[in-house]
PDB file of all heavy atoms in Angstrom:
ATOM      1  N   VAL O 399       0.842  -1.208   0.000  1.00 98.00           N
ATOM      2  CA  VAL O 399       0.000   0.000   0.000  1.00 98.00           C
ATOM      3  C   VAL O 399       0.870   1.249   0.000  1.00 98.00           C
ATOM      4  O   VAL O 399       0.612   2.205  -0.753  1.00 98.00           O
ATOM      5  CB  VAL O 399      -0.951  -0.013   1.216  1.00 98.00           C
ATOM      6  CG1 VAL O 399      -1.660   1.337   1.359  1.00 98.00           C
ATOM      7  CG2 VAL O 399      -1.977  -1.128   1.072  1.00 98.00           C
ATOM      8  N   ALA O 400       1.915   1.254   0.835  1.00 97.00           N
ATOM      9  CA  ALA O 400       2.795   2.418   0.904  1.00 97.00           C
ATOM     10  C   ALA O 400       3.470   2.680  -0.443  1.00 97.00           C
ATOM     11  O   ALA O 400       3.574   3.838  -0.886  1.00 97.00           O
ATOM     12  CB  ALA O 400       3.853   2.207   1.992  1.00 97.00           C
ATOM     13  N   THR O 401       3.911   1.625  -1.102  1.00 98.00           N
ATOM     14  CA  THR O 401       4.547   1.777  -2.416  1.00 98.00           C
ATOM     15  C   THR O 401       3.573   2.361  -3.430  1.00 98.00           C
ATOM     16  O   THR O 401       3.918   3.272  -4.203  1.00 98.00           O
ATOM     17  CB  THR O 401       5.072   0.419  -2.921  1.00 98.00           C
ATOM     18  OG1 THR O 401       6.077  -0.065  -2.022  1.00 98.00           O
ATOM     19  CG2 THR O 401       5.668   0.548  -4.312  1.00 98.00           C
ATOM     20  N   GLN O 402       2.351   1.869  -3.437  1.00 98.00           N
ATOM     21  CA  GLN O 402       1.343   2.370  -4.371  1.00 98.00           C
ATOM     22  C   GLN O 402       1.046   3.844  -4.127  1.00 98.00           C
ATOM     23  O   GLN O 402       0.894   4.627  -5.074  1.00 98.00           O
ATOM     24  CB  GLN O 402       0.063   1.544  -4.261  1.00 98.00           C
ATOM     25  CG  GLN O 402       0.204   0.080  -4.680  1.00 98.00           C
ATOM     26  CD  GLN O 402       0.627  -0.057  -6.135  1.00 98.00           C
ATOM     27  OE1 GLN O 402       1.776  -0.405  -6.429  1.00 98.00           O
ATOM     28  NE2 GLN O 402      -0.279   0.237  -7.052  1.00 98.00           N
ATOM     29  N   TRP O 403       0.963   4.216  -2.862  1.00 97.00           N
ATOM     30  CA  TRP O 403       0.663   5.622  -2.541  1.00 97.00           C
ATOM     31  C   TRP O 403       1.837   6.534  -2.874  1.00 97.00           C
ATOM     32  O   TRP O 403       1.654   7.637  -3.368  1.00 97.00           O
ATOM     33  CB  TRP O 403       0.281   5.742  -1.071  1.00 97.00           C
ATOM     34  CG  TRP O 403      -1.107   5.207  -0.780  1.00 97.00           C
ATOM     35  CD1 TRP O 403      -2.053   4.845  -1.694  1.00 97.00           C
ATOM     36  CD2 TRP O 403      -1.686   4.976   0.512  1.00 97.00           C
ATOM     37  NE1 TRP O 403      -3.189   4.405  -1.055  1.00 97.00           N
ATOM     38  CE2 TRP O 403      -3.009   4.476   0.298  1.00 97.00           C
ATOM     39  CE3 TRP O 403      -1.234   5.137   1.817  1.00 97.00           C
ATOM     40  CZ2 TRP O 403      -3.864   4.151   1.354  1.00 97.00           C
ATOM     41  CZ3 TRP O 403      -2.087   4.819   2.866  1.00 97.00           C
ATOM     42  CH2 TRP O 403      -3.382   4.334   2.639  1.00 97.00           C
ATOM     43  N   GLU O 404       3.037   6.040  -2.624  1.00 96.00           N
ATOM     44  CA  GLU O 404       4.214   6.857  -2.964  1.00 96.00           C
ATOM     45  C   GLU O 404       4.345   7.020  -4.474  1.00 96.00           C
ATOM     46  O   GLU O 404       4.714   8.096  -4.964  1.00 96.00           O
ATOM     47  CB  GLU O 404       5.467   6.230  -2.363  1.00 96.00           C
ATOM     48  CG  GLU O 404       5.538   6.404  -0.846  1.00 96.00           C
ATOM     49  CD  GLU O 404       6.761   5.759  -0.237  1.00 96.00           C
ATOM     50  OE1 GLU O 404       7.339   4.843  -0.879  1.00 96.00           O
ATOM     51  OE2 GLU O 404       7.146   6.150   0.877  1.00 96.00           O
ATOM     52  N   ASP O 405       4.033   5.968  -5.220  1.00 96.00           N
ATOM     53  CA  ASP O 405       4.050   6.069  -6.675  1.00 96.00           C
ATOM     54  C   ASP O 405       3.016   7.077  -7.173  1.00 96.00           C
ATOM     55  O   ASP O 405       3.184   7.672  -8.248  1.00 96.00           O
ATOM     56  CB  ASP O 405       3.779   4.704  -7.312  1.00 96.00           C
ATOM     57  CG  ASP O 405       4.958   3.751  -7.161  1.00 96.00           C
ATOM     58  OD1 ASP O 405       6.055   4.210  -6.803  1.00 96.00           O
ATOM     59  OD2 ASP O 405       4.760   2.538  -7.399  1.00 96.00           O
ATOM     60  N   ALA O 406       1.958   7.273  -6.382  1.00 95.00           N
ATOM     61  CA  ALA O 406       0.917   8.234  -6.750  1.00 95.00           C
ATOM     62  C   ALA O 406       1.271   9.650  -6.325  1.00 95.00           C
ATOM     63  O   ALA O 406       0.508  10.582  -6.603  1.00 95.00           O
ATOM     64  CB  ALA O 406      -0.415   7.834  -6.131  1.00 95.00           C
ATOM     65  N   GLY O 407       2.421   9.807  -5.637  1.00 93.00           N
ATOM     66  CA  GLY O 407       2.905  11.151  -5.353  1.00 93.00           C
ATOM     67  C   GLY O 407       2.801  11.638  -3.926  1.00 93.00           C
ATOM     68  O   GLY O 407       3.001  12.830  -3.662  1.00 93.00           O
ATOM     69  N   VAL O 408       2.491  10.749  -2.965  1.00 95.00           N
ATOM     70  CA  VAL O 408       2.416  11.201  -1.578  1.00 95.00           C
ATOM     71  C   VAL O 408       3.529  10.548  -0.764  1.00 95.00           C
ATOM     72  O   VAL O 408       4.015   9.466  -1.103  1.00 95.00           O
ATOM     73  CB  VAL O 408       1.046  10.873  -0.949  1.00 95.00           C
ATOM     74  CG1 VAL O 408      -0.068  11.603  -1.675  1.00 95.00           C
ATOM     75  CG2 VAL O 408       0.790   9.373  -0.940  1.00 95.00           C
ATOM     76  N   LYS O 409       3.917  11.212   0.295  1.00 95.00           N
ATOM     77  CA  LYS O 409       4.928  10.678   1.192  1.00 95.00           C
ATOM     78  C   LYS O 409       4.246   9.798   2.229  1.00 95.00           C
ATOM     79  O   LYS O 409       3.238  10.196   2.818  1.00 95.00           O
ATOM     80  CB  LYS O 409       5.684  11.811   1.886  1.00 95.00           C
ATOM     81  CG  LYS O 409       6.766  11.327   2.846  1.00 95.00           C
ATOM     82  CD  LYS O 409       7.488  12.491   3.503  1.00 95.00           C
ATOM     83  CE  LYS O 409       8.542  11.993   4.488  1.00 95.00           C
ATOM     84  NZ  LYS O 409       9.242  13.127   5.159  1.00 95.00           N
ATOM     85  N   VAL O 410       4.800   8.617   2.465  1.00 96.00           N
ATOM     86  CA  VAL O 410       4.179   7.666   3.385  1.00 96.00           C
ATOM     87  C   VAL O 410       5.165   7.279   4.477  1.00 96.00           C
ATOM     88  O   VAL O 410       6.321   6.941   4.192  1.00 96.00           O
ATOM     89  CB  VAL O 410       3.706   6.393   2.655  1.00 96.00           C
ATOM     90  CG1 VAL O 410       3.055   5.420   3.641  1.00 96.00           C
ATOM     91  CG2 VAL O 410       2.726   6.746   1.541  1.00 96.00           C
ATOM     92  N   THR O 411       4.706   7.333   5.706  1.00 97.00           N
ATOM     93  CA  THR O 411       5.459   6.827   6.850  1.00 97.00           C
ATOM     94  C   THR O 411       4.749   5.599   7.380  1.00 97.00           C
ATOM     95  O   THR O 411       3.564   5.652   7.734  1.00 97.00           O
ATOM     96  CB  THR O 411       5.546   7.872   7.973  1.00 97.00           C
ATOM     97  OG1 THR O 411       6.232   9.029   7.495  1.00 97.00           O
ATOM     98  CG2 THR O 411       6.280   7.319   9.183  1.00 97.00           C
ATOM     99  N   LEU O 412       5.452   4.477   7.391  1.00 97.00           N
ATOM    100  CA  LEU O 412       4.886   3.239   7.928  1.00 97.00           C
ATOM    101  C   LEU O 412       5.152   3.164   9.424  1.00 97.00           C
ATOM    102  O   LEU O 412       6.288   3.361   9.880  1.00 97.00           O
ATOM    103  CB  LEU O 412       5.496   2.029   7.239  1.00 97.00           C
ATOM    104  CG  LEU O 412       5.010   1.742   5.815  1.00 97.00           C
ATOM    105  CD1 LEU O 412       5.820   0.616   5.197  1.00 97.00           C
ATOM    106  CD2 LEU O 412       3.535   1.394   5.824  1.00 97.00           C
ATOM    107  N   ASP O 413       4.121   2.882  10.197  1.00 97.00           N
ATOM    108  CA  ASP O 413       4.229   2.809  11.651  1.00 97.00           C
ATOM    109  C   ASP O 413       3.545   1.531  12.106  1.00 97.00           C
ATOM    110  O   ASP O 413       2.325   1.477  12.255  1.00 97.00           O
ATOM    111  CB  ASP O 413       3.561   4.042  12.285  1.00 97.00           C
ATOM    112  CG  ASP O 413       3.801   4.115  13.790  1.00 97.00           C
ATOM    113  OD1 ASP O 413       4.482   3.224  14.335  1.00 97.00           O
ATOM    114  OD2 ASP O 413       3.305   5.080  14.412  1.00 97.00           O
ATOM    115  N   GLY O 414       4.343   0.473  12.286  1.00 95.00           N
ATOM    116  CA  GLY O 414       3.773  -0.834  12.585  1.00 95.00           C
ATOM    117  C   GLY O 414       3.956  -1.254  14.023  1.00 95.00           C
ATOM    118  O   GLY O 414       4.863  -0.792  14.731  1.00 95.00           O
ATOM    119  N   GLY O 415       3.094  -2.128  14.458  1.00 93.00           N
ATOM    120  CA  GLY O 415       3.171  -2.693  15.797  1.00 93.00           C
ATOM    121  C   GLY O 415       2.183  -3.828  15.923  1.00 93.00           C
ATOM    122  O   GLY O 415       1.486  -4.178  14.967  1.00 93.00           O
ATOM    123  N   ASP O 416       2.104  -4.393  17.124  1.00 86.00           N
ATOM    124  CA  ASP O 416       1.170  -5.499  17.309  1.00 86.00           C
ATOM    125  C   ASP O 416      -0.253  -4.963  17.404  1.00 86.00           C
ATOM    126  O   ASP O 416      -0.513  -3.777  17.253  1.00 86.00           O
ATOM    127  CB  ASP O 416       1.556  -6.334  18.531  1.00 86.00           C
ATOM    128  CG  ASP O 416       1.474  -5.540  19.844  1.00 86.00           C
ATOM    129  OD1 ASP O 416       0.889  -4.423  19.857  1.00 86.00           O
ATOM    130  OD2 ASP O 416       1.978  -6.046  20.867  1.00 86.00           O
ATOM    131  N   GLU O 417      -1.184  -5.871  17.659  1.00 82.00           N
ATOM    132  CA  GLU O 417      -2.594  -5.509  17.651  1.00 82.00           C
ATOM    133  C   GLU O 417      -2.911  -4.409  18.649  1.00 82.00           C
ATOM    134  O   GLU O 417      -3.663  -3.468  18.362  1.00 82.00           O
ATOM    135  CB  GLU O 417      -3.455  -6.742  17.942  1.00 82.00           C
ATOM    136  CG  GLU O 417      -3.385  -7.808  16.866  1.00 82.00           C
ATOM    137  CD  GLU O 417      -2.239  -8.782  17.078  1.00 82.00           C
ATOM    138  OE1 GLU O 417      -1.417  -8.551  17.981  1.00 82.00           O
ATOM    139  OE2 GLU O 417      -2.153  -9.770  16.343  1.00 82.00           O
ATOM    140  N   ASN O 418      -2.350  -4.512  19.865  1.00 81.00           N
ATOM    141  CA  ASN O 418      -2.602  -3.500  20.876  1.00 81.00           C
ATOM    142  C   ASN O 418      -2.019  -2.149  20.469  1.00 81.00           C
ATOM    143  O   ASN O 418      -2.588  -1.104  20.776  1.00 81.00           O
ATOM    144  CB  ASN O 418      -2.022  -3.947  22.222  1.00 81.00           C
ATOM    145  CG  ASN O 418      -2.830  -5.078  22.837  1.00 81.00           C
ATOM    146  OD1 ASN O 418      -4.045  -5.115  22.731  1.00 81.00           O
ATOM    147  ND2 ASN O 418      -2.139  -6.007  23.477  1.00 81.00           N
ATOM    148  N   TYR O 419      -0.904  -2.178  19.772  1.00 89.00           N
ATOM    149  CA  TYR O 419      -0.287  -0.932  19.300  1.00 89.00           C
ATOM    150  C   TYR O 419      -1.196  -0.244  18.284  1.00 89.00           C
ATOM    151  O   TYR O 419      -1.407   0.972  18.340  1.00 89.00           O
ATOM    152  CB  TYR O 419       1.070  -1.229  18.672  1.00 89.00           C
ATOM    153  CG  TYR O 419       1.805   0.006  18.188  1.00 89.00           C
ATOM    154  CD1 TYR O 419       2.601   0.748  19.058  1.00 89.00           C
ATOM    155  CD2 TYR O 419       1.693   0.437  16.867  1.00 89.00           C
ATOM    156  CE1 TYR O 419       3.268   1.887  18.624  1.00 89.00           C
ATOM    157  CE2 TYR O 419       2.350   1.562  16.422  1.00 89.00           C
ATOM    158  CZ  TYR O 419       3.140   2.287  17.310  1.00 89.00           C
ATOM    159  OH  TYR O 419       3.784   3.429  16.872  1.00 89.00           O
ATOM    160  N   VAL O 420      -1.735  -1.033  17.358  1.00 91.00           N
ATOM    161  CA  VAL O 420      -2.632  -0.462  16.351  1.00 91.00           C
ATOM    162  C   VAL O 420      -3.849   0.146  17.017  1.00 91.00           C
ATOM    163  O   VAL O 420      -4.274   1.261  16.697  1.00 91.00           O
ATOM    164  CB  VAL O 420      -3.046  -1.537  15.332  1.00 91.00           C
ATOM    165  CG1 VAL O 420      -4.100  -0.998  14.376  1.00 91.00           C
ATOM    166  CG2 VAL O 420      -1.834  -2.022  14.544  1.00 91.00           C
ATOM    167  N   LEU O 421      -4.432  -0.565  17.954  1.00 87.00           N
ATOM    168  CA  LEU O 421      -5.601  -0.066  18.663  1.00 87.00           C
ATOM    169  C   LEU O 421      -5.293   1.231  19.407  1.00 87.00           C
ATOM    170  O   LEU O 421      -6.045   2.206  19.330  1.00 87.00           O
ATOM    171  CB  LEU O 421      -6.092  -1.131  19.645  1.00 87.00           C
ATOM    172  CG  LEU O 421      -7.277  -0.761  20.536  1.00 87.00           C
ATOM    173  CD1 LEU O 421      -8.505  -0.477  19.690  1.00 87.00           C
ATOM    174  CD2 LEU O 421      -7.550  -1.858  21.542  1.00 87.00           C
ATOM    175  N   ALA O 422      -4.168   1.234  20.132  1.00 89.00           N
ATOM    176  CA  ALA O 422      -3.824   2.395  20.946  1.00 89.00           C
ATOM    177  C   ALA O 422      -3.540   3.626  20.107  1.00 89.00           C
ATOM    178  O   ALA O 422      -3.727   4.763  20.575  1.00 89.00           O
ATOM    179  CB  ALA O 422      -2.608   2.071  21.820  1.00 89.00           C
ATOM    180  N   ASN O 423      -3.106   3.430  18.870  1.00 93.00           N
ATOM    181  CA  ASN O 423      -2.714   4.561  18.044  1.00 93.00           C
ATOM    182  C   ASN O 423      -3.742   4.943  16.985  1.00 93.00           C
ATOM    183  O   ASN O 423      -3.479   5.804  16.147  1.00 93.00           O
ATOM    184  CB  ASN O 423      -1.370   4.269  17.384  1.00 93.00           C
ATOM    185  CG  ASN O 423      -0.226   4.350  18.370  1.00 93.00           C
ATOM    186  OD1 ASN O 423       0.281   5.421  18.664  1.00 93.00           O
ATOM    187  ND2 ASN O 423       0.167   3.195  18.908  1.00 93.00           N
ATOM    188  N   THR O 424      -4.910   4.311  17.038  1.00 94.00           N
ATOM    189  CA  THR O 424      -6.003   4.677  16.123  1.00 94.00           C
ATOM    190  C   THR O 424      -7.289   4.838  16.922  1.00 94.00           C
ATOM    191  O   THR O 424      -7.682   5.937  17.284  1.00 94.00           O
ATOM    192  CB  THR O 424      -6.181   3.615  15.024  1.00 94.00           C
ATOM    193  OG1 THR O 424      -6.310   2.315  15.612  1.00 94.00           O
ATOM    194  CG2 THR O 424      -5.003   3.611  14.075  1.00 94.00           C
ATOM    195  N   PHE O 425      -7.918   3.737  17.227  1.00 89.00           N
ATOM    196  CA  PHE O 425      -9.201   3.752  17.920  1.00 89.00           C
ATOM    197  C   PHE O 425      -9.123   4.462  19.269  1.00 89.00           C
ATOM    198  O   PHE O 425     -10.057   5.172  19.658  1.00 89.00           O
ATOM    199  CB  PHE O 425      -9.681   2.309  18.108  1.00 89.00           C
ATOM    200  CG  PHE O 425     -11.031   2.189  18.738  1.00 89.00           C
ATOM    201  CD1 PHE O 425     -12.171   2.488  18.011  1.00 89.00           C
ATOM    202  CD2 PHE O 425     -11.163   1.760  20.043  1.00 89.00           C
ATOM    203  CE1 PHE O 425     -13.429   2.375  18.589  1.00 89.00           C
ATOM    204  CE2 PHE O 425     -12.406   1.639  20.625  1.00 89.00           C
ATOM    205  CZ  PHE O 425     -13.541   1.945  19.903  1.00 89.00           C
ATOM    206  N   ALA O 426      -8.020   4.278  19.984  1.00 87.00           N
ATOM    207  CA  ALA O 426      -7.881   4.860  21.320  1.00 87.00           C
ATOM    208  C   ALA O 426      -6.797   5.933  21.368  1.00 87.00           C
ATOM    209  O   ALA O 426      -6.285   6.260  22.440  1.00 87.00           O
ATOM    210  CB  ALA O 426      -7.569   3.757  22.331  1.00 87.00           C
ATOM    211  N   ALA O 427      -6.455   6.511  20.223  1.00 91.00           N
ATOM    212  CA  ALA O 427      -5.371   7.505  20.175  1.00 91.00           C
ATOM    213  C   ALA O 427      -5.732   8.757  20.961  1.00 91.00           C
ATOM    214  O   ALA O 427      -6.815   9.324  20.803  1.00 91.00           O
ATOM    215  CB  ALA O 427      -5.069   7.867  18.729  1.00 91.00           C
TER     216      ALA O 427
END
């Protein structure tokens, strides 16, 4: 996804983690 978006002209920062990390940084951010 990041490659596709960068090819379309936007800068992408990937920020990965486990399930709890994703939850804490989106739904519960």
